Amino acid sequence: MHSILRNRKVQIAGQAVVITALVGGAGSFVALNKSVNLTVDGQSEQVRTFGSTVGDVLTAQGLEVDERDAVQPGADTRIERDMNIVVNTAKDLDLTVDGIALDEWTTANTVGQALADLGVDAEGAEVSLPLDEALTEDGAIVDVVTPKGVTVVADGEQMIVEATAATVSEVLSEAGVEVAGEDIVSAPLTAPVTDGQVLDVLRVKSETTTVEEKIEKKTTVKESASMDRGETKVETEGKDGVREVVYDIRTVDGAEVKKEKVSEKVVSEPVDAVVVKGTRAPRPAAPAPDRDTTGGSEKKDDSKKESSEKKESSEKKESSEKKESSEKKESGGGNSGEKAPSVDDGSVWDRLAKCESGGNWSINTGNGYYGGLQFSASTWKAFGGHKYAPNAHQATREQQIDIAKKVQASQGWGAWPTCTRKLGIR
């Protein structure tokens, strides 16, 4: 754009020539020469003109007006003596508000007027130029940082920062919060901030740590036919091993988010434990003497000897009957009489009892196992046998089978390892 006002010396000289030429001329000269007040971008002066419109005045002053310039009154307005003509030229602004660059233009004459016209609130803001600084047709570069309230959450604390900060980095600096290399911020450090924004700072740590971990020992169970069923012994105690493991651990605000094994080495090997378990079944009691195998079965030549043998047979018979009576009394004694579910003869339990005790359901040899299926006193009690009798040999066949079914449901056929294997049950 041309200079706003031409050199005043040139203007005065030109007017003098015109006046000289007209002196003594027509009397209309004075009437056509009008005085007006011209203000351009805040600079005022009085000028004389022979033009008839505002546009003529501007042209005579060498002012080239484009469509963005503000002219009051309009260029087609007719001239009146002592008229005020105001021209505010358009000026380009390189404006940055809170880190956001804007290409703007204004007809304002000062920085403050320009910001107001563009809707930028400068109250409390940091402005790179004074608000009353005049703007020229060459334009200006203006940076504005407005005040904001930003919430910063870091290190377990929350604070509100009131600051004229343009970027996230500047807000954190105002809050006294330092950001390390691996820390995470909810917005880029160079990003502009807005009023009411919340910034989260997450502390990230990576460290290497070494820990000792236990290597569990294993337990091996060996069976021994030289030990009664239910007996166990520890052959080797065993011992847990130890290994040393190195981990890379990453935490965010103290919470572990990644754990990666780097290396490991065995410090001490585990020693396996060995336990020996007895499998030998208790030996059944010897069968009672057969009362029908003595006396009179053989012919004797000596009658005295035959009489002696008959007497001995009679004594044995009497003793056997007493023993049988005692066993029956012992078997029945203490039985509650509660009825158990019936079981058909020849069942798998009869076969198992045949193997375990010779099929004698009331056997008590004194070896710690009782009845046809050879219950220990603790097993009989644990599975509810006392509702029938204090011990298994005092219970009926059906009562013993009822408890045995409960043992089998809990422990499997392995509760009678030798006989169930021998009979092909397992």
Side-chain angles (χ1 to χ4, degrees), residues 74-88:
D76 295 332
T77 304
R78 295 192 66 80
I79 291 295
E80 296 181 1
R81 191 176 302 279
D82 295 326
M83 173 184 281
N84 292 317
I85 301 173
V86 178
V87 178
N88 289 318

Side-chain angles (χ1 to χ4, degrees), residues 227-239:
M227 296 170 55
D228 286 343
R229 188 179 63 240
E231 291 184 359
T232 60
K233 71 175 181 179
V234 178
E235 187 175 90
T236 305
E237 284 288 347
K239 183 180 179 181

Side-chain angles (χ1 to χ4, degrees), residues 70-110:
V71 180
Q72 295 291 335
D76 295 332
T77 304
R78 295 192 66 80
I79 291 295
E80 296 181 1
R81 191 176 302 279
D82 295 326
M83 173 184 281
N84 292 317
I85 301 173
V86 178
V87 178
N88 289 318
T89 60
K91 307 160 189 74
D92 292 321
L93 285 184
D94 290 333
L95 179 63
T96 302
V97 179
D98 291 330
I100 299 175
L102 304 169
D103 289 329
E104 299 286 353
W105 64 273
T106 182
T107 58
N109 295 323
T110 65

Side-chain angles (χ1 to χ4, degrees), residues 218-262:
K218 297 179 180 179
T219 300
T220 302
V221 178
K222 295 167 52 177
E223 293 186 345
S224 173
S226 63
M227 296 170 55
D228 286 343
R229 188 179 63 240
E231 291 184 359
T232 60
K233 71 175 181 179
V234 178
E235 187 175 90
T236 305
E237 284 288 347
K239 183 180 179 181
D240 292 329
V242 177
R243 62 171 160 253
E244 193 175 80
V245 185
V246 179
Y247 290 102
D248 278 343
I249 299 176
R250 181 182 175 88
T251 61
V252 176
D253 275 358
E256 185 178 298
V257 297
K258 184 179 180 182
K259 184 177 182 180
E260 185 176 8
K261 183 187 293 185
V262 177

Side-chain angles (χ1 to χ4, degrees), residues 79-341:
I79 291 295
E80 296 181 1
R81 191 176 302 279
D82 295 326
M83 173 184 281
N84 292 317
I85 301 173
V86 178
V87 178
N88 289 318
T89 60
K91 307 160 189 74
D92 292 321
L93 285 184
D94 290 333
L95 179 63
T96 302
V97 179
D98 291 330
I100 299 175
L102 304 169
D103 289 329
E104 299 286 353
W105 64 273
T106 182
T107 58
N109 295 323
T110 65
V111 173
Q113 291 172 352
L115 295 178
D117 289 347
L118 295 172
V120 178
D121 187 1
E123 184 177 357
E126 289 184 0
V127 184
S128 61
L129 297 176
L131 294 179
D132 59 357
E133 182 165 322
L135 295 175
T136 68
E137 63 179 1
D138 294 329
I141 299 174
V142 182
D143 291 327
V144 180
V145 180
T146 61
K148 307 166 194 70
V150 180
T151 301
V152 177
V153 181
D155 303 319
E157 297 182 359
Q158 178 175 302
M159 65 194 85
I160 297 177
V161 179
E162 300 285 350
T164 52
T167 65
V168 171
S169 178
E170 291 174 7
V171 170
L172 295 179
S173 178
E174 287 281 348
V177 175
E178 295 183 359
V179 179
E182 288 191 305
D183 291 343
I184 299 172
V185 183
S186 57
L189 294 177
T190 57
V193 291
T194 58
D195 188 41
Q197 186 172 354
V198 177
L199 296 176
D200 291 301
V201 180
L202 305 179
R203 300 302 189 187
V204 179
K205 291 184 179 180
S206 296
E207 60 182 1
T208 300
T209 183
T210 302
V211 297
E212 286 191 348
E213 296 181 353
K214 180 172 67 174
I215 306 174
E216 296 281 353
K217 66 183 178 182
K218 297 179 180 179
T219 300
T220 302
V221 178
K222 295 167 52 177
E223 293 186 345
S224 173
S226 63
M227 296 170 55
D228 286 343
R229 188 179 63 240
E231 291 184 359
T232 60
K233 71 175 181 179
V234 178
E235 187 175 90
T236 305
E237 284 288 347
K239 183 180 179 181
D240 292 329
V242 177
R243 62 171 160 253
E244 193 175 80
V245 185
V246 179
Y247 290 102
D248 278 343
I249 299 176
R250 181 182 175 88
T251 61
V252 176
D253 275 358
E256 185 178 298
V257 297
K258 184 179 180 182
K259 184 177 182 180
E260 185 176 8
K261 183 187 293 185
V262 177
S263 64
E264 67 173 86
K265 67 178 180 179
V266 176
V267 177
S268 61
E269 295 284 356
V271 177
D272 292 346
V274 179
V275 177
V276 181
K277 177 183 178 181
T279 60
R280 182 175 62 194
R283 298 175 183 175
D290 188 352
R291 295 190 298 272
D292 296 332
T293 60
T294 59
S297 61
E298 298 180 358
K299 293 181 180 181
K300 305 297 181 179
D301 293 337
D302 193 328
S303 60
K304 186 176 180 180
K305 181 178 180 180
E306 183 178 355
S307 176
S308 176
E309 288 176 350
K310 285 182 179 181
K311 182 178 179 181
E312 183 180 353
S313 175
S314 177
E315 290 175 351
K316 286 181 178 180
K317 180 177 181 181
E318 182 178 356
S319 175
S320 176
E321 288 175 348
K322 286 181 179 180
K323 181 177 181 181
E324 182 178 359
S325 175
S326 175
E327 287 178 349
K328 287 181 179 179
K329 182 177 180 180
E330 184 178 3
S331 176
N335 193 301
S336 66
E338 184 173 337
K339 188 174 181 180

